[in-house]
Structure formats: C-alpha cells, structure tokens
Amino acid sequence: MPPTAKPPVTGVLHSWDLSTGVDGPGTRFVAFLAGCPLRCLYCHNPDTRPMRHGRPCTADEIVREAAKYTAFIHASGGGATISGGEPLLQPALTGELLHRLKHDLGLHTALDTSGFLGARATDALLADTDLVLLDIKSWDHALYRHLTGQRLAPTLDFARRLADLGTEVWVRFVLVPHLTDLAANVEGVAAFAASLGNVTRVDVLPFHKLGAPKWRALGLDFPLADTPAPTPAQVAEARSVFAAHGLHAV
C-alpha cells in the first residue's frame, strides 16, 4: 500500500511582508501569525492579537509565497522570520514553517517572540531556529505584569533555555518614558542579557504611537496616548547601559 499522505499543517496567518533590518539580518520574508496572549500597553499591532483577525492557511501556502523571493533574500544575506502576534501560540505551524524554510528553501530562520509561551517550543523547533528575537519588556516583575497582563518568569526561563542550547539571541527592549526607562529596570535587563552568553545584539526600541490609529479602528483606547516618546538622549543613555555590560546595543 502507498504511504498515507501527511495532512497539511494549518493555522491562522495575519499577514506577511518583506522587511529589512528590523526582523533579523538582511532582507527577510516575515510571516505574522495571528493571536497573542499578551496585552502590551504599547502594542503597535493590536489587530494581530485576536485569532479572528487572521485567515486560515497552510504551511504550504506560506512556504510557496516565501519561495518567490528566495533569490532576492539570499543575495541580501537575509532569511525568514516567524512573528506575530505570538508565533508560539501556534507551535505546530511555527515549527513546520521554520523547518521547511530552513531545509527546503535554505533560508536563515528567526523566531520573533515574547518568550511567554517558550515552553511550547519543542527542541526540534528550536533546532530549526538560527536566531531568536526575544522581547524582554521589563526586569521588574510587577511592571511586566502591568505592561503585558502576564508573568515575566516564563520569558526568563525561555531565555536561559536558549542560552543552554547556544541559540543566538537578539534582545529587544522597548524604552517607554516613566515606565521601562527607570535606571534599575534598564540595568536589570542589561545584566540579565549579559549573563546569558548568547546575546549578540540588543535593540533598544524607542516607544512610539504609530499604532494608535489601529487601536481607534478597533474601538479601543490607546493606554499610552499621553506618554511622550523618549528623547534621543534617553535612548542613547539606555544603550550605554547595555554597552557597559559588553553588549552590542543599537
């Protein structure tokens, strides 16, 4: 008897895009999966949080789309990134995509995650991940809960697991005036990141309000509407804290 065909791996896709510089090295095919368990006060894509805002799709569809751009991606030294929402909310689809993008298309792979659902990432999924873009939103546990509605501990556990595996990590830290910019908070994230030994870059991302229209379109009040963006001097100061710990901060 012929072998039974493997059923397609399915999930919910919000959108995809080609990006340069912000989702990993080089030009990248980025698949934004729908759904996120965090409710970040500064979320700039609140439309990706509910699963219902995506569309059903198969891994085959996404890989076929990425394949159209492989020559361009390879020429730029880029790859593919699975983002969201939170891609580990859909671990089967995420794992299948990382495997096929890496092995079928020969692309450098990145996983963009908060780490909150890191326990859902299998060893096989992480073996197919060349780089993790890890959002560490705060070092203070109470502040993390205030910012996201969730606990910080799972993210720290996932970070330590990645360090044990030797997986390359870029830490992402959003600098929000009067919230995440407190000296002890920045110092805490920097010291932790430096202790891991596998963090090759830290992106200090200035808070902005570009997502505010999306909140309004969803009938939601943007919680940080009155919060100013950090000044260039404040961003430079935060980067200097990470640099003082021997980290490459941009």
Side-chain angles (χ1 to χ4, degrees):
M1 293 179 61
T4 304
K6 179 183 174 182
V9 178
T10 62
V12 183
L13 176 72
H14 178 271
S15 56
W16 67 268
D17 200 358
L18 293 175
S19 74
T20 302
V22 295
D23 297 293
T27 298
R28 307 189 71 82
F29 177 89
V30 186
F32 298 94
L33 305 190
C36 184
L38 271 59
R39 292 296 179 264
C40 298
L41 298 182
Y42 51 72
C43 180
H44 61 275
N45 286 315
D47 49 316
T48 67
R49 298 192 307 195
M51 296 282 280
R52 68 180 183 276
H53 288 172
R55 65 173 182 84
C57 71
T58 65
D60 291 339
E61 292 176 61
I62 299 173
V63 172
R64 280 198 301 269
E65 192 63 44
K68 299 175 183 178
Y69 307 97
T70 51
F72 179 61
I73 290 171
H74 282 302
S76 75
T81 299
I82 310 304
S83 185
E86 171 51 67
L88 292 179
L89 194 61
Q90 301 186 60
L93 178 59
T94 296
E96 179 74 4
L97 288 172
L98 289 166
H99 183 79
R100 293 184 58 187
L101 291 164
K102 182 178 181 70
H103 297 284
D104 295 357
L105 301 186
L107 296 177
H108 175 277
T109 55
L111 173 67
D112 182 3
T113 177
S114 71
F116 177 69
L117 298 179
R120 296 190 180 189
T122 64
D123 289 344
L125 182 154
L126 294 177
D128 289 325
T129 303
D130 296 312
L131 171 68
V132 174
L133 309 175
L134 183 63
D135 294 322
I136 303 182
K137 302 170 189 296
S138 169
W139 179 246
D140 180 274
H141 289 247
L143 177 58
Y144 191 93
R145 172 77 76 172
H146 173 67
L147 287 170
T148 71
Q150 298 290 0
R151 296 183 301 120
L152 171 61
T155 293
L156 303 184
D157 290 343
F158 185 56
R160 295 184 184 103
R161 180 182 171 198
L162 294 173
D164 289 341
L165 292 171
T167 304
E168 183 182 5
V169 168
W170 289 6
V171 165
R172 287 175 155 183
F173 175 70
V174 180
L175 190 69
V176 186
H178 315 305
L179 283 173
T180 67
D181 66 336
L182 299 180
N185 191 52
V186 179
E187 171 67 24
V189 175
F192 176 73
S195 75
L196 297 172
N198 62 329
V199 176
T200 60
R201 169 170 159 162
V202 177
D203 288 318
V204 177
L205 305 173
F207 163 74
H208 61 73
K209 303 179 188 180
L210 297 179
K214 294 183 179 181
W215 286 77
R216 290 195 295 270
L218 294 170
L220 302 172
D221 292 328
F222 182 47
L224 301 184
D226 296 327
T227 299
T231 66
Q234 289 173 317
V235 175
E237 173 60 25
R239 287 174 178 153
S240 73
V241 175
F242 287 96
H245 284 271
L247 296 164
H248 174 57
V250 297

